[in-house]
Amino acid sequence: MPRFSVIVPCFKVQGFLRECLDSVLTQSFDDFELIAVDDRSPDGCGAILDEYAGRDPRVRVLHLPENVGLGRARNAGMPLATGDYLFFLDSDDTLTPGALRAVADRLAEARDPDVLVFDYARTYWWGGTRRNVLAHLLGEAGPGTFGVSEYPQILDLLMVVWNKVYRREFVEENGFAFPPGYYEDTPWTFPVMLSAGRIATLDRICLNYRQRRQGNILSTTSRKHFDIHDQYERVFAFVERRPELAVWLPYLHRKMGEHCLDILAKPDRLPSADRAEFFRRTVRMFREHRPAGARVDGELALLEGSWTAYRVRRQAARAGREAARRADLARRAASARARSGWAALHAHRPLDENLVVYSASSHRGVLGDPAAVHRKAREIAPQLRGVWVVRDAETAERLPPDVEHVVVGSRRYLEVTARAKFFVNDVNWPGALAKRPGSVYIHTHQGTPLKYLGADLLDKPGARLGFDVPQMLRRADRWDYSLVANRHSELVWERAYPCHFTSVRTGSPRNDVLVNGGTGDFRRRHGIPDDRTVVLYAPTRRDYCRSGHADRFDLARFAADLGAGHTLVVRLHPSLASGPARGMGLSELARRGIVVDATDEPHLEEVLLAADVLVTDYSSVMFDYANLDRPIVVHADDHPAYTASRGTYFDVTAEPPGHVTGSYRELARLFASGSWRDEESARLRAEFRSRFCEFEDGKAAERVVRTLLLGEAMPDAGIRLPVQGTGRDALTSA
């Protein structure tokens, strides 16, 4: 008996069917059967299904003699199912890599619940990806099981059949089946969820829900949308047959009204001539099923009035939104004029020679190189007043209490930036910030560059999608100093940013703690024993994927293959922290203690200090980590695609900081054999360090403060820093 019976009904999806089937048949977990139902499809679906069945014994095909529709095609597949759990997969959707393994593991952890609800992502025909906005409800449900009365929020999720798996015996015992027509998910999902005694959740994206440009029946203009009324009648009839569920009638009554109003509000659902009839039928149904004492407010109050009143209310709402939009534009324009005048007022005042304005990672907090400079300035130059620019009040609340700050765009921000002598940032300042004569802009960058940046992106249209290179260069024209940690960076910055700045060989301030042997409490906070070998996996984003994220291998499998005595720590690229990338499995694996998710750790150096070995691909974190002189592994299984889409300044697979792997099998073997820390690894690392850690002596932050902020000479400076185009040293020995 297989663990899963994956039931795939097929009708006019020949262009998507192979991708759907492949997403199932290539899963790392293979204890399943795939039951494909050809719903008398007029295209090539039947032939495709027979082809797959002929070469894979896990595939069974049922050809229906006539077209019966999506719901009844699922019904036709259920009697053939022998698996513990039913998984209904639409034939234009796909499973994500590792989905079945994750579902199987969660079912075992929850001791075979009646229903398991998992997460999904909408994948749009134009290439975009968006995670379910209510995904947080899955994590908040906790690791145990529950009924809807214990956690009613679960019903706020999209009520569809394909974001769940169902214990087959539970389905058979209750006689659940799909009705004919549109919206067949409604009279399946509500009865199933209300009847389930044990529900579990999985906070992981297991399915890609394809949003087709055309062909989606629910986005087709048709009278078939009237079917929603019949489907809710079936839901109410089910509840009436089970008196113990009567407590849910007020909720279902409200849900029905909201659902029908949502269909009516969408311009592409109902023919214009039928909208009034749809409204009146909804009103009748809303009145007939209204429980005693049911609350009717908000949008639902429209169902107590007439069609004319509904239209007037909708038109008024549209007019109100347009008026609010125009008023908001006017307020913004007035505010901009006021801020401009405020800035102009302070621009006539002399610069404050002791005022330093800091920002990092687009105003996300006290981070990176600017933070290291700020800490050192407080230590050796307390007369300097440091003010941080943050993006919003929420970010400001997370700052240490003794850090002075301003919110970007505020009056205080305009006052501070108009008076400051020094500006320290690792990305460009906003274009609206005018550089005053005499002010000094110090650009720290964000590490040593491997991938193309700046003007070099002009030949990489995919990598610079939505990125205005000329505007970026105009902002870079304000730089006075560009910090470098090695000659490679110096050459790259001067090529990528053809602007008027002086390169200074200071080293990277944020790496001082790595060079000087700093410590952190990362292991303690995450409960990692001192005798564990910490493997840090830090991949970068992919420009050949619209989302920027690509799963290169199964994290759970890698954690298992590392074996006892190892802890896998994962840190995604910061740009992926709030997108769907973590929902592809990282969040759930972290919850279960299989990996440690370090993506939200604000201070990268603490994560690096805790790691015994770094596994990365093309991330600049390798240059920082090299300062620790610990093993590095470059996993470059997509090197040709990455270099073609983004471009790199050198071939990291030919001049690596350690061993290079081109497949997961090679990566697993490297760690299984212990070769990741052999003599060859040490030799490669030594060559890499000599080239890219050239100016890292643990005094970078002090060097910036003394020479660039205070104008002093740096005592015992062993690094000589030529000024661009002048032939003299910016920093000289005492």
Side-chain angles (χ1 to χ4, degrees):
M1 180 185 296
R3 190 59 165 156
F4 299 108
S5 293
V6 183
I7 299 176
V8 184
C10 307
F11 183 75
K12 296 178 68 173
V13 288
Q14 63 179 7
F16 307 104
L17 183 54
R18 291 182 185 276
E19 186 180 359
C20 172
L21 298 176
D22 289 341
S23 76
V24 179
L25 298 175
T26 57
Q27 289 284 311
S28 59
F29 183 88
D30 62 0
D31 186 17
F32 64 85
E33 60 182 2
L34 195 158
I35 301 169
V37 182
D38 173 17
D39 190 17
R40 196 66 176 176
S41 184
D43 59 6
C45 285
I48 293 172
L49 295 177
D50 290 339
E51 173 194 332
Y52 274 77
R55 66 176 189 240
D56 195 318
R58 296 173 297 178
V59 180
R60 183 175 180 181
V61 180
L62 174 62
H63 296 281
L64 299 183
E66 61 180 356
N67 176 252
V68 297
L70 181 58
R72 287 189 288 183
R74 290 171 179 156
N75 290 341
M78 278 196 281
L80 306 180
T82 62
D84 297 330
Y85 280 85
L86 302 177
F87 194 139
F88 298 101
L89 176 65
D90 287 354
S91 48
D92 55 353
D93 296 338
T94 57
L95 298 186
T96 60
L100 288 185
R101 167 63 66 186
V103 172
D105 289 346
R106 182 70 181 104
L107 289 173
E109 180 188 41
R111 299 183 179 180
D112 287 2
D114 297 326
V115 180
L116 173 68
V117 187
F118 53 78
D119 198 15
Y120 66 91
R122 296 176 187 266
T123 56
Y124 294 88
W125 61 270
W126 43 266
T129 300
R130 182 167 63 88
R131 189 179 186 183
N132 169 22
V133 296
L134 295 177
H136 61 91
L137 295 177
L138 297 171
E140 292 168 2
T145 59
F146 54 87
V148 290
S149 59
E150 300 167 90
Y151 190 64
Q153 297 93 322
I154 196 69
L155 296 177
D156 292 335
L157 294 170
L158 191 63
M159 286 290 103
V160 291
V161 65
W162 42 256
N163 66 345
K164 308 170 185 71
V165 295
Y166 312 86
R167 189 166 58 83
R168 182 168 58 86
E169 291 181 355
F170 163 71
V171 171
E172 292 173 350
E173 289 167 0
N174 286 273
F176 294 126
F178 292 93
Y182 275 22
Y183 300 98
E184 76 291 333
D185 286 4
T186 299
W188 166 280
T189 308
F190 281 118
V192 165
M193 295 297 285
L194 294 178
S195 302
R198 298 178 65 245
I199 301 170
T201 60
L202 173 62
D203 184 16
R204 176 191 170 114
I205 297 173
C206 295
L207 182 140
N208 289 318
Y209 175 34
R210 190 187 300 273
Q211 306 291 285
R212 293 156 63 180
R213 186 170 183 266
Q214 58 182 7
N216 185 337
I217 60 174
L218 294 185
S219 296
T220 303
T221 303
S222 167
R223 277 188 61 88
K224 290 184 178 180
H225 292 283
F226 279 76
D227 179 67
I228 189 65
H229 301 112
D230 292 337
Q231 303 296 19
Y232 271 102
E233 288 288 3
R234 292 185 171 99
V235 174
F236 288 122
F238 176 85
V239 173
E240 288 174 5
R241 293 193 299 269
R242 301 200 179 188
E244 72 275 12
L245 299 180
V247 66
W248 291 102
L249 283 173
Y251 170 83
L252 294 171
H253 175 257
R254 187 175 190 87
K255 195 71 174 179
M256 180 272 294
E258 291 172 347
H259 199 163
C260 292
L261 285 174
D262 181 64
I263 293 171
L264 190 61
K266 288 184 167 57
D268 61 347
R269 298 293 171 89
L270 294 162
S272 298
D274 298 319
R275 293 169 64 80
E277 180 186 350
F278 183 91
F279 175 82
R280 294 186 182 105
R281 188 175 298 185
T282 300
V283 168
R284 285 198 302 272
M285 188 174 176
F286 191 72
R287 290 173 179 169
E288 289 172 4
H289 291 282
R290 180 174 179 177
R295 180 169 53 92
V296 178
D297 54 12
E299 285 287 309
L300 288 179
L302 294 171
L303 295 176
E304 295 193 325
S306 66
W307 167 243
T308 300
Y310 171 84
R311 292 182 62 191
V312 170
R313 174 78 175 271
R314 297 290 298 179
Q315 291 169 355
R318 284 194 293 269
R321 287 193 296 270
E322 177 60 20
R325 186 186 68 83
R326 292 176 179 274
D328 183 61
L329 290 175
R331 281 194 300 270
R332 292 188 181 198
S335 178
R337 288 192 296 270
R339 288 196 302 269
S340 177
W342 185 262
L345 175 65
H346 287 277
H348 294 293
R349 300 174 62 187
L351 294 176
D352 185 337
E353 298 291 328
N354 290 320
L355 180 56
V356 187
V357 177
Y358 298 92
S359 180
S361 300
S362 299
H363 318 310
R364 285 183 168 85
V366 182
L367 306 167
D369 289 307
V373 174
H374 179 235
R375 285 193 299 270
K376 184 57 66 173
R378 292 177 115 184
E379 176 188 332
I380 65 176
Q383 71 274 24
L384 295 177
R385 175 192 172 199
V387 180
W388 280 84
V389 176
V390 295
R391 56 182 177 176
D392 51 35
E394 182 180 351
T395 305
E397 289 177 359
R398 296 195 297 266
L399 297 178
D402 61 341
V403 171
E404 187 177 356
H405 66 274
V406 294
V407 176
V408 65
S410 66
R411 276 194 171 188
R412 287 196 63 230
Y413 163 82
L414 296 172
E415 178 181 352
V416 166
T417 54
R419 297 288 315 283
K421 170 72 173 183
F422 301 101
F423 293 79
V424 182
N425 201 347
D426 60 4
V427 295
N428 263 318
W429 292 97
L433 183 59
K435 187 178 192 301
R436 289 188 62 185
S439 62
V440 176
Y441 280 52
I442 301 169
H443 196 75
T444 70
H445 302 281
Q446 292 184 319
T448 293
L450 172 62
K451 57 193 174 188
Y452 276 10
L453 295 165
D456 289 325
L457 291 175
L458 290 172
D459 291 330
K460 297 291 181 181
R464 61 179 172 85
L465 182 66
F467 181 62
D468 189 336
V469 173
Q471 181 189 71
M472 177 274 300
L473 293 178
R474 287 192 293 272
R475 295 180 180 183
D477 278 331
R478 296 174 295 187
W479 303 351
D480 292 287
Y481 297 107
S482 167
L483 309 188
V484 299
N486 46 65
R487 297 171 203 267
H488 162 80
S489 296
E490 184 176 289
L491 295 175
V492 167
W493 298 142
E494 293 177 12
R495 162 182 160 156
Y497 302 101
C499 305
H500 304 289
F501 58 80
T502 297
S503 291
V504 285
R505 299 176 178 176
T506 56
S508 295
R510 71 168 184 250
N511 288 339
D512 287 348
V513 66
L514 305 181
V515 177
N516 295 327
T519 59
D521 65 348
F522 179 86
R523 285 185 178 237
R524 180 189 60 77
R525 285 188 288 109
H526 291 277
I528 303 174
D530 292 339
D531 59 351
R532 286 286 186 93
T533 298
V534 172
V535 180
L536 171 61
Y537 176 50
T540 192
R541 62 178 293 117
R542 264 50 177 187
D543 292 287
Y544 60 76
C545 298
R546 191 177 186 97
S547 68
H549 176 70
D551 276 320
R552 304 313 311 165
F553 53 78
D554 186 337
L555 294 174
R557 181 180 178 185
F558 186 38
D561 288 344
L562 288 173
H566 294 75
T567 295
L568 178 60
V569 176
V570 181
R571 182 181 175 87
L572 298 179
H573 191 277
S575 66
L576 303 176
S578 58
R582 292 161 85 174
M584 299 301 288
L586 179 56
S587 295
E588 171 64 9
L589 293 175
R591 183 193 67 78
R592 293 165 53 200
I594 294 174
V595 305
V596 174
D597 181 5
T599 304
D600 287 336
E601 288 288 329
H603 303 296
L604 173 61
E605 61 272 15
E606 292 189 10
V607 183
L608 300 184
L609 286 166
D612 297 296
V613 54
L614 169 68
V615 179
T616 187
D617 37 38
Y618 322 106
S619 172
S620 63
V621 72
M622 72 176 76
F623 301 99
D624 300 323
Y625 191 75
N627 285 284
L628 292 170
D629 197 17
R630 298 174 189 173
I632 301 173
V633 176
V634 175
H635 184 61
D637 62 336
D638 62 342
H639 188 249
Y642 186 85
T643 53
S645 61
R646 181 61 189 243
T648 57
Y649 289 111
F650 68 94
D651 185 352
V652 73
T653 65
E655 304 172 83
H659 289 293
V660 178
T661 57
S663 67
Y664 177 74
R665 178 175 295 182
E666 292 179 9
L667 179 65
R669 284 178 177 173
L670 187 71
F671 277 90
S673 66
S675 300
W676 57 274
R677 51 184 172 188
D678 61 11
E679 292 183 3
E680 177 65 7
S681 170
R683 183 188 68 80
L684 292 170
R685 186 168 69 255
E687 293 177 358
F688 191 86
R689 293 182 71 240
S690 67
R691 178 180 178 187
F692 295 108
C693 301
E694 183 180 5
F695 306 141
E696 304 279 35
D697 64 350
K699 299 180 180 179
E702 181 182 359
R703 190 170 288 114
V704 172
V705 173
R706 291 194 183 281
T707 61
L708 302 183
L709 299 184
L710 299 179
E712 301 174 356
M714 181 73 179
D716 64 14
I719 302 173
R720 302 185 66 77
L721 310 171
V723 174
Q724 215 172 310
T726 66
R728 62 181 178 82
D729 289 346
L731 303 180
T732 59
S733 300

